[in-house]
Amino acid sequence: MKAQAVPNPVRRLGRRGFLARLAIASLALPFLGSLSARADDPPRLDPNNPAAKTIGYTEDASKVDPKKEPLFKPNSRCANCTFFQSAQAKGDDAPCTIFANQVVAGKGWCRAWSAKA
Ligand code: SF4
């Protein structure tokens, strides 16, 4: 049985071509790292999620109609709710202790809102 030759990238691309591609790949590595970090971030809670709908979660508290949501208090939003985990916030989003493994929008709101102490 004859062994197949393993392609040699240096020979195929030439020394300069190989080094150029190696340099480009090394420049891209930090960006690939940030992409994988994003992939590990918990997803944002979908307002159409059945549990979210049950407690009237919305991503924008300014659109809540107080006549339809009697529990809504002026200026209440996720960012000033006791369940909003501000210490773990990334941008405007942070985990909410009510919705495990998901983040909610800081300007969101739901009927479980409780003023941060
Ligand atoms: Fe936002 Fe608080 Fe409702 Fe969580 S419990 S979704 S932080 S208002």
Side-chain angles (χ1 to χ4, degrees):
M1 177 190 259
K2 187 177 177 183
Q4 272 193 319
V6 176
N8 181 337
V10 177
R11 190 175 300 146
R12 189 169 56 86
L13 299 171
R15 188 168 173 260
R16 283 189 182 169
F18 177 76
L19 290 175
R21 289 186 186 200
L22 188 63
I24 290 168
S26 66
L27 289 173
L29 281 176
F31 298 106
L32 291 175
S34 67
L35 284 178
S36 66
R38 275 191 206 145
D40 293 341
D41 289 345
R44 188 186 249 196
L45 175 64
D46 181 350
N48 293 315
N49 169 313
K53 276 188 152 183
T54 299
I55 58 172
Y57 173 74
T58 175
E59 292 183 322
D60 189 351
S62 71
K63 293 182 179 166
V64 175
D65 181 353
K67 290 176 189 156
K68 292 180 183 169
E69 293 288 356
L71 294 175
F72 182 79
K73 296 195 171 43
N75 300 318
S76 61
R77 59 190 179 282
C78 292
N80 58 20
C81 173
T82 194
F83 300 113
F84 192 75
Q85 306 298 299
S86 309
Q88 298 166 48
K90 285 193 177 171
D92 188 43
D93 298 349
C96 164
T97 51
I98 290 183
F99 298 102
N101 303 318
Q102 294 171 87
V103 295
V104 296
K107 62 181 183 177
W109 180 86
C110 85
R111 291 181 202 118
W113 180 87
S114 176
K116 205 170 260 204

